[in-house]
Amino acid sequence: MSIKCRFCPIRNFPLFQQLSEAEEAFMERFKVGEMTVQPDTPILSAGSSSPQIFTALKGFGLRYKLLEDGRRQVLSFIFPGDLIGLQAGVMNQMTHSVDSTTSMTLCVFNRNELWSLFRNFPARAYDLTWIAASEERFLGEALTAIGQKSAFESMCWALSRIYRRLEALQMDERRSVPLPYRQQDLADALGLSLVHTNKTLAKLRERQIANWSEGRLTVNDIQALEEMGLVESKLPRPRPLI
């Protein structure tokens, strides 16, 4: 059975902005259901025009682009609360793909109803604009990390950003958060070889700053990790949840 927005298990986290009763009622009409997918399931494919957009309610996924020769660039990791498919919702076609990494539960919205959102709830429409701008900002950070930072700095940047986000989702347990990805996924996100990724992670482990093993990321010193990644130390800003 689909969960009503007012009972959403993640909506009351400090990471997310709260809705008015009217906005909440509209979102319950906007949401057409939920979908559960198994690990390694394609959710959206490059070139597709999906009639639906999604919000990750549970689980983890990946956004990525493939070159013709099979090389892959991971664009971002998908965590609970992330919106999926806005690009196709606005531009009618995806230019990247989205797969689940773990089993996922997705809130499903009808793409055709986007216009009623803009017409009837401009504040919610602004939230969509904020999400798009936030993703643009993140891609700018990622491009800077890949293009200008050393492999070690890039790794520290990525792990500190991931840790802060999952901490804000209340997933931390004794400075440890779930990170159910492969080293190859992180390598493809940072433009590194798998060998270089493994050696860089080993340096962090040897310095006892961070350790990623068996699907969990443990950060012993988040301030040191952020400093080495040239990251401004601050908690994620409260963000809209669609």
Side-chain angles (χ1 to χ4, degrees):
M1 182 178 293
S2 178
I3 299 173
K4 290 185 177 295
C5 294
R6 71 191 73 177
F7 303 123
C8 176
I10 64 174
R11 184 171 295 282
N12 291 325
F13 289 175
L15 178 62
F16 300 116
Q17 298 170 356
Q18 297 303 302
L19 298 180
S20 67
E21 290 186 5
E23 289 171 334
E24 200 171 71
F26 173 80
M27 292 307 298
E28 290 184 353
R29 296 192 301 271
F30 185 35
K31 179 178 175 179
V32 297
E34 290 176 7
M35 180 172 74
T36 300
V37 297
Q38 297 305 307
D40 303 314
T41 299
I43 298 172
L44 294 169
S45 299
S48 67
S49 179
S50 172
Q52 299 165 328
I53 58 176
F54 310 94
T55 291
L57 185 62
K58 297 178 183 177
F60 297 77
L62 278 177
R63 290 186 178 95
Y64 64 93
K65 287 181 70 72
L66 283 178
L67 298 181
E68 292 183 2
D69 61 4
R71 284 178 293 170
R72 183 181 70 157
Q73 177 66 49
V74 169
L75 303 176
S76 65
F77 299 111
I78 294 174
F79 302 136
D82 285 346
L83 186 64
I84 305 169
L86 179 60
Q87 185 181 83
V90 175
M91 303 177 67
N92 296 321
Q93 190 177 69
M94 294 290 292
T95 61
H96 62 266
S97 299
V98 179
D99 290 357
S100 63
T101 299
T102 67
S103 60
M104 296 184 73
T105 300
L106 306 171
C107 297
V108 183
F109 305 96
N110 187 342
R111 187 181 80 180
N112 292 333
E113 292 300 315
L114 275 177
W115 306 117
S116 67
L117 185 149
F118 277 84
R119 182 172 57 251
N120 298 318
F121 284 92
R124 290 263 75 191
Y126 178 82
D127 287 343
L128 282 178
T129 305
W130 191 97
I131 290 171
S134 179
E135 290 184 359
E136 180 182 7
R137 178 181 179 180
F138 172 79
L139 289 174
E141 278 193 42
L143 182 59
T144 302
I146 294 170
Q148 298 298 323
K149 294 182 180 181
S150 68
F152 187 76
E153 290 169 340
S154 295
M155 185 68 67
C156 293
W157 167 79
L159 294 182
S160 63
R161 280 285 190 244
I162 289 169
Y163 181 83
R164 286 294 195 189
R165 176 67 186 280
L166 296 179
E167 180 186 41
L169 287 169
Q170 300 185 355
M171 293 187 182
D172 60 313
E173 297 178 6
R174 298 180 180 179
R175 297 177 295 188
S176 174
V177 295
L179 194 60
Y181 297 97
R182 302 171 302 150
Q183 284 192 16
Q184 187 66 62
D185 297 328
L186 188 57
D188 289 347
L190 298 176
L192 303 174
S193 70
L194 185 58
V195 171
H196 203 167
T197 298
N198 186 272
K199 289 181 177 179
T200 307
L201 288 168
K203 289 180 182 179
L204 285 170
R205 185 169 60 250
E206 290 165 2
R207 297 185 187 186
Q208 298 184 348
I209 293 172
N211 181 35
W212 180 26
S213 63
E214 299 181 356
R216 295 197 69 86
L217 170 65
T218 301
V219 177
N220 298 315
D221 191 337
I222 183 61
Q223 285 77 26
L225 190 65
E226 289 173 328
E227 287 176 6
M228 291 185 296
L230 307 180
V231 177
E232 183 180 355
S233 181
K234 62 180 180 181
L235 297 176
R237 293 177 55 189
R239 55 186 289 142
L241 177 64
I242 300 297

